[in-house]
């Protein structure tokens, strides 16, 4: 085992291999608040990559309803329980939060990661390199189970006893959009005895070498997000490939200049919840500071988007703007201690943040840099923040411009949505 630094847990941790980092890293931000669970993303992925025999149960991208839904069923609860059993009462975060130092933006995780908890694990499969579990066939069977099933206790004797009001609703659910996080310290890669899984040096995408894979399914057990999937017809594991031909700009129809394009799931999202990027990484794995890259701005500069279960320790590169109506203890368990800071900003975004939030799903080209052109003030509204503080939000109709890898303008959009008047020739006569 080697010592590696994981900025998401604010400390060094043990990992199977020494530090080795790509030049740039595939990353994405999802705004959970906007998702309408239409599953267009899931279908876009499926119709591109997993429509063949033996892939029937494969949803590399899935959208599940929390808290009850999960694909495979209970993927996260089971692991949280296993970690608690290995380290009773010890899975805690401590230290400064929110505005903490750059190397530990959410404070320090004092508990055990899935790599550390595996060291003393005793179970039917031990010794293991990574603490995990292999879901049963039955658990893979119902990808959208419990869709839109809410939890809460406001109903008594058939009567609503409480209203649902922000900052947190009594009755709640939310949609969680998931794909492989192309982790910095992939658990799938660490667990593979065949060294069949590798992380590409050019963009950090994690791939399975199908020729080396023997279908031992160690990666399925190890991935805390359960994103490698076994294919019985080939007896190998398959997983999200990050639509790498699109990332490489190899689609001559859509990318004649060879500029990187968003993946199919990102590019198809009608809810406009998704923003994909590539961030530059230094030799130690740190993101090279560049607040003009929208992903960097949202994750590192403003800390408004947070990793999913950072305490697992894989340093996932998918980040989420948490849903603002959900009880905070649930969100903190899922996204770590940065939740309060993230929501305080999201509920009353300042001028620049509001402009950057407009960039989501506006172009198929990956945005490497953005600029904001100042516009007129168009509104002033009173906002109560989750903390109870009252604030006046000033809204400006700024224009935000996104540039592609070649520095060419890929998108230009305004904070106020333009309105179009339908010409009388098209007036609906019904
Ligand atoms: S396409 Fe977008 S809005 Fe629809 S389910 Fe997927 S993430 Fe949500
Ligand atoms: S999410 Fe799972 S499959 Fe994807 S890189 Fe991380 S550990 Fe591997």
């Amino acid at each position: 085992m080697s010592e590696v630094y994981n900025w998401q847990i604010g400390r060094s941790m043990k990992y199977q291999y020494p530090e080795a980092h790509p030049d740039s890293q595939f990353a994405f931000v999802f705004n959970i608040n906007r998702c309408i669970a239409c599953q267009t993303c899931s279908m876009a992925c499926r119709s591109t990559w997993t429509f063949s025999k033996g892939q029937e149960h494969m949803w590399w991208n899935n959208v599940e309803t929390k808290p009850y839904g999960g694909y495979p069923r209970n993927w996260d609860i089971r692991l949280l329980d296993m970690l608690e059993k290995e380290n009773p009462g010890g899975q805690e975060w401590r230290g400064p939060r929110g505005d903490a130092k750059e190397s530990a933006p959410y404070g320090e995780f004092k508990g055990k990661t899935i790599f550390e908890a595996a060291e003393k694990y005793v179970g039917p499969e031990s010794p293991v390199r990574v603490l995990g579990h292999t879901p049963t066939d039955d658990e893979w069977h119902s990808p959208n189970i419990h869709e839109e099933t809410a939890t809460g206790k406001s109903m008594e004797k058939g009567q609503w006893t409480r209203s649902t009001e922000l900052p947190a609703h009594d009755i709640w659910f939310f949609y969680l959009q998931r794909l492989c996080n192309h982790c910095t310290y992939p658990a799938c890669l660490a667990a593979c005895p065949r060294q069949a899984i590798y992380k590409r040096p050019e963009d950090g995408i994690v791939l399975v070498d199908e020729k080396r894979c023997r279908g031992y399914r160690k990666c399925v057990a190890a991935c805390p997000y359960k994103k490698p999937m076994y294919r019985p017809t080939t007896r190998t594991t398959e997983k999200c490939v990050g639509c790498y031909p699109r990332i490489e700009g190899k689609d001559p129809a859509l990318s004649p200049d060879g500029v990187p394009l968003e993946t199919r799931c990102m590019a198809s999202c009608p809810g406009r919840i998704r923003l994909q990027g590539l961030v530059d990484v230094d030799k130690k794995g740190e993101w090279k500071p560049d607040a003009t890259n929208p992903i960097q701005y949202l994750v590192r500069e403003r800390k408004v988007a947070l990793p999913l279960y950072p305490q697992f320790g894989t340093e996932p590169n998918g980040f989420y703007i948490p849903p603002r109506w959900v009880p905070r203890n649930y969100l903190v368990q899922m996204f770590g201690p940065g939740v309060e800071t993230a929501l305080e900003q999201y509920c009353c975004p300042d001028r620049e943040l509001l402009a950057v939030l407009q960039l989501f799903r506006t172009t198929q080209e990956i945005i490497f840099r953005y600029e904001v052109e100042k516009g007129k003030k168009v509104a002033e509204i009173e906002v109560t923040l989750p903390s109870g503080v009252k604030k006046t939000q000033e809204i400006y109709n700024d224009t935000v411009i996104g540039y592609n890898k070649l520095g060419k303008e890929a998108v230009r959009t305004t904070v106020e949505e333009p309105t179009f008047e339908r010409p009388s020739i098209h007036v609906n006569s019904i």
Side-chain angles (χ1 to χ4, degrees):
M1 292 282 251
S2 302
E3 282 282 315
V4 296
Y5 190 78
N6 180 330
W7 64 265
Q8 294 179 4
I9 61 170
R11 64 172 173 84
S12 300
M13 62 164 204
K14 291 195 175 152
Y15 185 64
Q16 184 69 20
Y17 299 107
E19 301 243 11
H21 299 283
D23 298 332
S24 77
Q25 175 62 54
F26 177 106
F28 55 87
V29 171
F30 290 171
N31 184 352
I32 292 179
N33 296 273
R34 283 183 176 174
C35 180
I36 53 174
C38 60
Q39 304 285 3
T40 312
C41 49
S42 307
M43 293 313 297
C45 174
R46 191 155 176 80
S47 60
T48 310
W49 298 108
T50 61
F51 51 81
S52 300
K53 208 167 176 192
Q55 294 180 310
E56 292 80 2
H57 65 296
M58 281 192 192
W59 297 91
W60 291 353
N61 179 101
N62 78 293
V63 178
E64 59 201 41
T65 300
K66 287 298 183 197
Y68 299 125
Y71 168 72
R73 215 153 55 235
N74 300 327
W75 61 273
D76 50 348
I77 302 296
R78 252 178 96 177
L79 185 56
L80 289 167
D81 282 350
M82 288 175 83
L83 282 162
E84 184 59 33
K85 206 166 149 208
E86 288 308 303
N87 187 21
Q91 296 297 88
E92 298 265 316
W93 290 85
R94 293 206 202 113
R97 295 175 183 181
D99 296 329
K101 54 189 178 173
E102 271 311 299
S103 57
Y106 317 126
E108 191 178 329
F109 179 59
K110 294 285 187 190
K112 289 188 179 177
T113 66
I114 54 173
F115 307 109
E116 294 157 345
E119 287 181 314
K120 294 191 179 151
Y121 173 71
V122 180
E125 324 80 36
S126 56
V128 288
R129 292 177 184 175
V130 183
L131 189 74
H133 61 95
T134 310
T136 61
D137 287 352
D138 183 54
E139 285 167 332
W140 287 108
H141 272 167
S142 313
N144 212 11
I145 195 165
H146 300 307
E147 186 186 28
E148 294 178 4
T149 304
T151 187
K153 287 190 189 144
S154 284
M155 188 71 115
E156 275 171 27
K157 294 181 188 161
Q159 298 291 318
W160 296 106
T161 54
R162 277 189 245 159
S163 64
T164 45
E165 287 172 0
L166 289 172
H169 291 181
D170 292 329
I171 301 175
W172 58 274
F173 68 81
F174 68 95
Y175 307 122
L176 186 66
Q177 315 71 25
R178 303 203 304 111
L179 62 143
C180 168
N181 293 292
H182 298 280
C183 305
T184 302
Y185 303 112
C188 55
L189 186 155
C192 179
R194 294 273 308 157
Q195 301 195 333
I197 301 182
Y198 61 103
K199 195 165 168 64
R200 301 208 316 175
E202 61 270 44
D203 51 25
I205 289 176
V206 175
L207 294 178
V208 179
D209 180 343
E210 299 291 330
K211 290 202 187 95
R212 290 197 62 77
C213 178
R214 291 283 181 274
Y216 300 149
R217 282 176 266 186
K218 298 281 184 193
C219 54
V220 179
C223 170
Y225 305 100
K226 293 290 164 264
K227 281 300 169 184
M229 292 159 203
Y230 180 68
R231 182 170 179 178
T233 49
T234 57
R235 298 194 181 166
T236 56
T237 293
E238 295 179 1
K239 64 175 285 302
C240 163
V241 294
C243 287
Y244 67 85
R246 288 174 66 91
I247 304 294
E248 291 170 2
K250 294 236 169 96
D251 185 332
L254 290 169
S255 177
D257 294 347
V259 293
L261 297 180
E262 290 188 330
T263 62
R264 291 273 290 128
C265 61
M266 313 281 174
S268 65
C269 173
R272 295 181 58 186
I273 85 144
R274 295 175 172 232
L275 183 73
Q276 192 190 343
L278 287 161
V279 293
D280 289 339
V281 174
D282 69 17
K283 293 274 173 262
K284 289 187 189 154
E286 267 295 321
W287 290 13
K288 289 183 190 162
D290 176 9
T292 66
N293 178 312
I295 300 283
Q296 285 250 17
Y297 176 76
L298 293 165
V299 176
R300 302 305 298 269
E301 180 80 8
R302 301 301 301 268
K303 303 178 183 70
V304 74
L306 305 167
L308 178 63
Y309 290 119
Q311 67 269 38
F312 290 165
T314 63
E315 210 185 278
N317 289 299
F319 301 86
Y320 295 79
I321 301 177
R324 61 197 194 122
W325 59 89
V326 173
R328 300 305 185 248
N329 52 356
Y330 189 89
L331 293 179
V332 169
Q333 174 183 254
M334 186 169 268
F335 301 108
V339 167
E340 207 180 308
T341 308
L343 284 177
E344 204 74 357
Q345 297 195 69
Y346 180 69
C347 291
C348 184
D350 62 27
R351 200 167 171 173
E352 184 149 4
L353 181 54
L354 191 61
V356 174
L357 288 170
Q358 311 310 315
L359 283 175
F360 284 60
R361 187 63 296 286
T362 45
T363 168
Q364 298 221 17
E365 293 177 13
I366 290 182
I367 299 170
F368 283 74
R369 183 172 69 81
Y370 76 90
E371 266 172 25
V372 179
E373 276 176 8
K374 294 214 153 80
K376 280 199 303 201
K377 183 166 162 180
V378 287
E380 203 173 272
I381 47 176
E382 296 302 313
V383 180
T384 305
L385 297 178
S387 59
V389 172
K390 290 195 188 311
K391 237 176 143 178
T392 304
Q393 184 184 10
E394 295 180 323
I395 300 178
Y396 293 84
N397 190 22
D398 293 338
T399 300
V400 59
I401 308 146
Y403 296 92
N404 68 19
K405 190 171 185 184
L406 299 176
K408 286 194 188 152
E409 186 175 313
V411 63
R412 174 179 287 259
T413 188
T414 52
V415 167
E416 266 200 317
E417 278 199 34
T419 50
F420 301 97
E421 203 166 315
R422 202 172 161 91
S424 55
I425 192 174
H426 297 304
V427 164
N428 193 338
S429 58
I430 297 173

